[in-house]
Amino acid sequence: MADRFNGEMLTLARQLRKVSQAELVAVLKDRITQGQLSKIERGRIQPDADLAAAIAGALGVRPSFFGDGSYVRMPPVSFHRKRQKLGARDLDAIHAQAEVYRLTLKRLLEGVELEPTLAAVPAMDPDAFDGRVSEIAAAIRQHWMVPRGPIKSVSKLIEDSGVIIVPFDFGTPLIDGFGQHASDGLPPIIFINATQPVDRLRFSLAHELGHLVMHQTPNPDQEVQANRFASEFLMPTREIKPQLYGLGIQRLMDLKLYWGVSMQSLIYKAWEAGSISDRSKKYHFVQMSKRGFREREPVQVTAPESPSTLRDVISAHLNELGYTPADLGEMFGLSEEDTQRLYPVPRQKPQLRIIV
């Protein structure tokens, strides 16, 4: 290999494939010991070209994948209980795929220029507002001049501010999304579980936006704060409270279709706004459970949530810059099959400025 072998990228490739050190050693048979593999991943020793090629073949990447000198980010700090139920290998695989997206995006953005049409996401510390998260959500709506009423497309609003949304299948419903603040020459990124129903996806995007706005430094209350932000951002209390009456199933369905949020979110909102009591909230959730609506609600939101920035970046390379999927695979150090799996983008005219 011409470039120095980056052991962090080997760890990343293993996590992406859900392969342990011992399993990789077994595949490579007598080529390497686990002690040697551990030292390679820690940068203590460098493999020769033949061994690097064997490792790449075992993990389904190109040898050049390991020559990427970029640092690999640590997984985001989380206090979400659901994530603690997920196996370490599955969680590592999700974060590894997110890192592959981040590292490939860094290369892709060298050839195109993003042109946000809204002001950037500001940093607003909840402590500076004495914990009044609803005021922060209202300030962001005002910051972006969001009209009264429901937000037509949460993803478009967020991407118009320069944030890149990366949707992919997490392989589990236990994680809805996570974000990364701007750094290393990249804009903020939100990774979102693409398998969610639209109403939940909209809430998840607003939740992650709340993290970007409020949590430069993680804190134990951040998940509750991000939920409150999302609720107020999507359903401003002043606007929705007069509508929170007669909350039977039909009324909840009507409000869901209007505001683009789940019926469960509406019940919580009514409780937070003081429109229903603790007892009434419990009653509504019991009724939802009896009907099986906690798992699948009876009506589905059809709001236009289709993040486009990532798609446009790939389209720009395919259509304007003359790249083929094979060329992109070589750039990323991935197989053409993996490249097309990560970026299943139809050829279309991108809405980006090309850098020559």
Side-chain angles (χ1 to χ4, degrees), residues 8 12 44 76 98 121 124 155 179 207 210 241 255 266 317 328:
E8 289 188 353
L12 187 68
R44 297 281 300 279
V121 175
M124 304 177 74
S155 56
H207 177 102
K241 188 170 183 178
L255 289 174
L266 285 161
H317 282 74
L328 293 178

Side-chain angles (χ1 to χ4, degrees), residues 58-79:
L59 293 172
V61 298
R62 300 172 191 259
S64 60
F65 182 84
F66 305 121
D68 191 323
S70 302
Y71 72 95
V72 177
R73 283 191 178 190
M74 294 291 292
V77 174
S78 174
F79 299 91

